[in-house]
Amino acid sequence: MDDPDRPPPSALVGRSASVDLVRSFVTGVGRAGGALLLTGEPGVGKSVVLEVAVGTAAAAGFRVLRGGGAQFETEVGFSTLHQLLLPVRDGLDALADGPRDALAAALGLGGAASGGDTLAVSAAALALLHHAARQGPLLLAVDDAHWADRSSARVLAFVARRLAGSRIGLIAAARSGTDSLLAHAGLAHHDLRPLDRDAAAELLHRRFPVLTAPVRRRVLAEAQGNPLALLELPVTMTQAQRLAVEPLPAVLPLSSRLQLLFAERIRTLPPVTRRLLLLAALDGTGDLRVLDTAARRGTWLDSFAPAERDHLARVDLGARRVVFRHPLIGAAVVELATAAERRRAHTALAEVLVDDPERRAWHLAEAVVGADEEVASLLVLAAHRTLHRGDAVRAVQTLLKAAERRRAHAALAEVLVDDPERRAWHLAEAVVGADEEVASLLVLAAHRTLHRGDAVRAVQTLLKAAELSPHGADRARRLAAAAHLGADAAGRLRSVPEYLAQARSADPDAGTSLEVAVAAAYHLLNGEGDVATAHLVLVRAVENAIEDAGDEAATGGTARDAIDEALYTLMLVCHFSGRDEPWRAFERALSRLGPGVRAVLSVSSSLYARPVRAGAAELDRLESLVAGLDTEVDPVHIVRVGIAAFYVDRLDGCREALRRVVRDGRGGGAATSAVNALLMLCHDAFLDGRWDEARRTAEEGVTWGRTLGYELIALPGLYCLALVAAVRGDEEATRTLTEEMTAWAAPRGVTMLEHFACRVRGLAALGRDDYEEAYRQATAISPAGQLVAHAPVALGMALDLVEAAVRSGRQADAEAHVAAVQQAEVFRLRPRLALIADGAAGVAASGPDPRRAEQHFDRALAVPDAALYPFEHARVQLAYGAHLRRTRAMHASRRQLTAALRTFTRLGARPWADRAEQELRVSGLTHRSATDGGAAPLSAQEYRIASLAASGLTNKQIATRLHLSPRTVSSHLYRVFPKLGIGTRAALRDALANTTAPEDRRPG
C-alpha cells in the first residue's frame, strides 16, 4: 500500500516501458474499460508502478477507488471489497432490492443476509460500479492482491471479466507464484522483471552516491536487480562499511523491510526445511555434497520440497547445487534463525569441511560460545593461508575473529612494513586511546591515498588521524583538513559545519587555524556563494600563517603545503569574484612566498587571474602539467590542471583524465571532482561541436552538483546549457538560464557568473541581428579596446565584440579592440584564439580596407587546427563570405558561405544557418545546393548544355551546336536550375564550378 519513502514516478529508473504501459492502459480504460494485472517478485516495484496508474488516472479526471489485501485479513470475508466500494456506497439506493441487500450485507452495511451468495454480490458490485461511472471514468486500484480474501478476489475476478465497453478499469498488483484468484482470471497481465545491470547501478548511485566501488558491486550482486533490495541493503551498513574501511560480513544483514518480503513464507515452512535452508545459506557455496552430509539424512530432499514448492529455492541435481531463487532469501533465512539454530548449523558444517581448514575454522568460530583457544589457533592458521592466497581483507577478518582486535591489528602492522598506508590503519586499530605517532602516520597515509586517487579513503584516514590526536589543536587541524578535502573532492560539502563544530569543540582557538579557515571559506563559497566573507576569512588566515611560518613557508615543509592549499582556495574565491581588488591580497601573499609554489598553483595563478597576459612560458608549464595527466590518478590534481587549461583552450589534452575522474565518481569515488570534471567536459564538447553531448554532460553535472549541495560548482554547467540554447536560437531557454545565473550571482557579488550570462546574451543577440544589445553585453565584460585581466571570458568573445561594434556603426571601437587583441601574445599561441583574433581583424577591416580584410580572413582560416573549433571557424567563414559578396567576388563568396552553412546546419545553429542561407540567396545560390554538398548530379547531356549556357550561348546557339531543338535545350535547362539550386542563368558558372563533370556514357 502507500509508502512515504516511495520515489515519485518521475524518479523511476529502468521502468519506462512499464510506466508507458500503465499510462496507455489508463487512457484506454477511459474509452472502453479493461483490467490489468501487474505481477513480479517481492520488492520489484509493483506498488510503485501501480501508483503511476493511480496518478495518471487522477490527473485525467478519473475517480479512483483504492483497496488492497492484508496478510492478517485473508480470512475476513469481503474485507478488500469493503475498502474499494465504501466510497461509492451512496449508490446502493439505485440498485434493486435484492442486489442492494446482498451487497450491503457483504459490506457490513446492513441489509438481509444473502447466505454468502458470491454470484449475487458480484452482480451487485458490478451494477454499483456502472452506476458510479455515470459521473465519469472510474479506476479500481488493488495492491497486494495476493493477500485479498478469497470472497473479494472472486468478486473482483467476476467484475474484471465484464468491464469491456464500460468506462471502468481495474488494475491490481500481485506477487508472482502466489495462488491468487486474479492470476487465474484470464486478465491481461504485465510481469515486472528485475532491473538490468545499468538501471540497477543508476538507482543505487542516485540513492547512495558515496558507496565505494567494491561495496557497490557487492550490493548489485546481492540485490540482482531488485529495487527494494538496492535501496535497503546499504541502510544496514555502517558508514565505514559503505566506504570499504571496514569489511562487509559474509551474509549482508537485511533491513526490517527486506525481512518482511520473505518472512511469512519462511516462517510457515516445516522446521526441518528451515534447517536445511539455513545450512545452505551459511555454507554459501551451494554444493549439494556439503548439504547432503550436513543434513545426515538420505531423504533430506523430501524435507526440502516445501521450499521448492514455495519457490524459495531449488535443487539442481544435474549441477549438484542448491540455488536460492534470490540471494535475499538466504539472507532472510539467516536473519530469522535463532542464535542457537545458527550455532548448530555452523557446527554441522564444520564437521563436514574437514578438507577445507579455512572454511571449517570460520564455522567453528561461529559455533562456539565465548573464548576458545583451539578455535582461535585454527583461525590464525586460516588467516595465514588466506593472506598467502592474496585475500588480505579476508585475512584481517579471520585474525579479528581469532583474537582481540588490537592484537590482530598489531600483528598485521608488523607484517606490512612495506605498505605504510595499510600499516598505519592497523596501528590505528591496535592502539588504546590517543597516539600522536600513529596519528601522524595516518596523515601521511591520507596524502598517499589521495595521490593514489582514492579521495574518499583519504578523508576517512584524516578523520581517524583526528580521532587519535592527543592534542586539541592537532585534532582540530586534522578535522578541518578532512572537512576541506571531503568538500573539495568527495562530495561532502554538507559535512563541513559538523566537522568544524567538532574542531572548535576540540580546540576553542581553532578559528585561527589555517585549515579551519580554508574549510570554512570553501563552504561559504560553494554552499552560500558568500564571496566577500570567504575572501576575508582566507586573507586573514593566509597572512597570519605566512607570518607565523617564517622561513618554513618560503622553503617548504608541511606549513608551506597548508599555505599553498589555502592560496588555491583563495584563488578560486578571487576568480569567481570577477573583480580586480580581491586579487591584490592573493598576489601579495604569493609574492611573499617567493618561488617554489606548487606547479599547478603557479600556473593557475597566471591563467586564472590574467590569461590575457599569458605567454609562451606559462603555456609551456601548462603543457608539462597536461602531459603528466596520462598517468595521474589524483582526482583533485587532474581537476585543477583541467581548470587551468580551460580558458586557454587546452581541455582536449585533459579529456581522457577528466573522463577517468567522472568514472571514479560514478563508482563511489571523488564525487566533487567528478562534478567539476563533468562541467569541464561539457565545455570541451561545446567547443568541439558536440553540442548534444555538451547538453547531456552539463545536465548531469548540474543535477549531481546540486544534489550534493554545490550550487556554485553547478552554475558553470548552466552556462554551458545557456551557450547551447543561445547558438541554437532557443530564446526562451537562453533567457531562463541566464536569469537563473544572474539571480543567484548578482546579490552575492559573484561577478564571474554575471560575465558568463553577458557572454550568452551577447551571442543570442548576434544570432538575431540585434547588434546594439550584443555590443552592450560584450562591453559589460570588457570595454572596447581593453582586455580586462580578471575577466578571462573576454578572450573568447573578442570576435563577438568586434562584430557587434562594426554592425552597430562603432568602427573606431572595433579597431581599438582588434589592436588590443593583437598586442596579447596568448592570441598567437592557441589555435582558437588565433582564429578569433584574425577573424575579428577581418571583420573590422572589411569596410575600410577590403584587401586587408581578405588577408586577415585567409590567415584566420589557415590557422593549424582552427577547424577543430567548428562554430568559430564557421563564423569566420560566414563573415568572410559576406565580405566577398559585398566586393562582388561571388564565386569565392559562395564557397565560404556554403561551407559555413553546412557546419551551422550540422551543429543545429539555426540563427547562424539562416544568416548564411540569406547571404547565399543574395549571391544567387539557394539553400539546397549549399546543404546538399554543392551541385546536384547532372547527366552528361545536362552538363554539356549547362556549360554552354554558362559560356554565354543562347538556347538557339546551343541547339545548333548540339543538333537539338531549342525547345529540348530549354527543357534541359529547366531541369538543371533546381538541380544546381540556382534561380538565374548568371549563376550557372559558379554553380558548375562546384560540380564534378559526369562521364559521357554515349556510345563511341
Side-chain angles (χ1 to χ4, degrees), residues 953-962 964-966 969 985:
L953 296 182
T954 65
N955 287 4
K956 187 174 182 179
Q957 291 169 325
I958 295 170
T960 300
R961 180 171 296 190
L962 298 180
L964 301 171
S965 70
V969 171
R985 200 178 186 101

Side-chain angles (χ1 to χ4, degrees), residues 630-712:
D630 289 343
T631 56
E632 183 60 61
V633 294
D634 179 355
V636 174
H637 180 78
I638 291 171
V639 165
R640 290 181 178 181
V641 173
I643 296 174
F646 177 73
Y647 288 109
V648 289
D649 302 326
R650 196 60 184 91
L651 277 177
D652 56 333
C654 310
R655 190 178 297 154
E656 290 307 315
L658 291 170
R659 287 171 176 166
R660 290 201 307 272
V661 172
V662 172
R663 289 194 294 270
D664 172 65
R666 287 172 177 158
T672 318
S673 299
V675 171
N676 272 310
L678 279 170
L679 297 180
M680 281 182 281
L681 287 169
C682 73
H683 284 280
D684 175 55
F686 177 79
L687 292 178
D688 204 40
R690 295 173 281 117
W691 289 356
D692 290 334
E693 180 184 336
R695 179 181 51 77
R696 290 192 302 270
T697 307
E699 287 172 348
E700 181 184 359
V702 169
T703 301
W704 195 355
R706 284 177 165 171
T707 299
L708 295 173
Y710 292 83
E711 186 65 26
L712 182 62

Side-chain angles (χ1 to χ4, degrees), residues 29 68 92 125 198 235 245 260 402 526 582 650 691 843 892 900 921 973:
V29 161
L92 283 169
D198 290 342
V235 170
V245 175
L260 288 174
N526 289 284
R650 196 60 184 91
W691 289 356
V843 170
R921 278 198 299 269
L973 287 174

Side-chain angles (χ1 to χ4, degrees), residues 499-735:
Y499 292 152
L500 293 186
Q502 293 177 24
R504 294 187 183 97
S505 176
D507 179 16
D509 296 328
T512 62
S513 159
L514 183 61
E515 289 82 1
V516 169
V518 171
Y522 192 94
H523 185 264
L524 285 167
L525 178 67
N526 289 284
E528 304 297 328
D530 190 344
V531 170
T533 306
H535 186 269
L536 182 64
V537 167
L538 279 171
V539 169
R540 287 176 178 172
V542 168
E543 289 177 347
N544 291 338
I546 293 176
E547 194 69 36
D548 293 343
D551 291 340
E552 187 186 358
T555 59
T558 56
R560 177 56 177 271
D561 289 341
I563 292 170
D564 279 4
E565 193 62 35
L567 277 174
Y568 190 90
T569 306
L570 178 58
M571 181 178 62
L572 284 176
V573 173
C574 297
H575 173 67
F576 280 107
S577 76
R579 293 175 289 110
D580 292 344
E581 194 279 330
W583 282 100
R584 293 169 189 158
F586 170 81
E587 289 164 354
R588 281 198 307 271
L590 199 63
S591 65
R592 288 181 66 185
L593 287 177
V597 297
R598 294 177 187 171
V600 71
L601 174 60
S602 175
V603 170
S604 298
S605 65
S606 298
L607 301 183
Y608 269 40
R610 47 187 187 278
V612 66
R613 299 176 193 167
E618 286 86 358
L619 292 180
D620 285 345
R621 287 190 294 156
L622 174 64
E623 287 298 329
S624 297
L625 290 173
V626 170
L629 295 184
D630 289 343
T631 56
E632 183 60 61
V633 294
D634 179 355
V636 174
H637 180 78
I638 291 171
V639 165
R640 290 181 178 181
V641 173
I643 296 174
F646 177 73
Y647 288 109
V648 289
D649 302 326
R650 196 60 184 91
L651 277 177
D652 56 333
C654 310
R655 190 178 297 154
E656 290 307 315
L658 291 170
R659 287 171 176 166
R660 290 201 307 272
V661 172
V662 172
R663 289 194 294 270
D664 172 65
R666 287 172 177 158
T672 318
S673 299
V675 171
N676 272 310
L678 279 170
L679 297 180
M680 281 182 281
L681 287 169
C682 73
H683 284 280
D684 175 55
F686 177 79
L687 292 178
D688 204 40
R690 295 173 281 117
W691 289 356
D692 290 334
E693 180 184 336
R695 179 181 51 77
R696 290 192 302 270
T697 307
E699 287 172 348
E700 181 184 359
V702 169
T703 301
W704 195 355
R706 284 177 165 171
T707 299
L708 295 173
Y710 292 83
E711 186 65 26
L712 182 62
I713 289 179
L715 286 169
L718 290 189
Y719 173 41
C720 184
L721 293 174
L723 283 172
V724 174
V727 294
R728 284 185 162 170
D730 189 341
E731 292 284 346
E732 182 178 354
T734 302
R735 182 173 57 257

Side-chain angles (χ1 to χ4, degrees), residues 877-878 880-886 888-902 916-917 919-926 929-931 934 980-994:
Q877 289 176 317
L878 172 59
Y880 193 8
H883 165 77
L884 291 169
R885 181 191 59 76
R886 289 191 294 271
R888 310 303 297 170
M890 291 301 181
H891 176 64
S893 167
R894 289 167 186 155
R895 186 168 59 251
Q896 297 295 339
L897 293 172
T898 296
L901 177 56
R902 289 174 187 158
E917 186 177 356
E919 289 284 350
L920 280 166
R921 278 198 299 269
V922 175
S923 76
L925 198 63
T926 67
S929 65
T931 56
L980 294 180
I982 59 175
T984 65
R985 200 178 186 101
L988 270 172
R989 181 173 60 85
D990 287 336
L992 288 173
N994 293 326

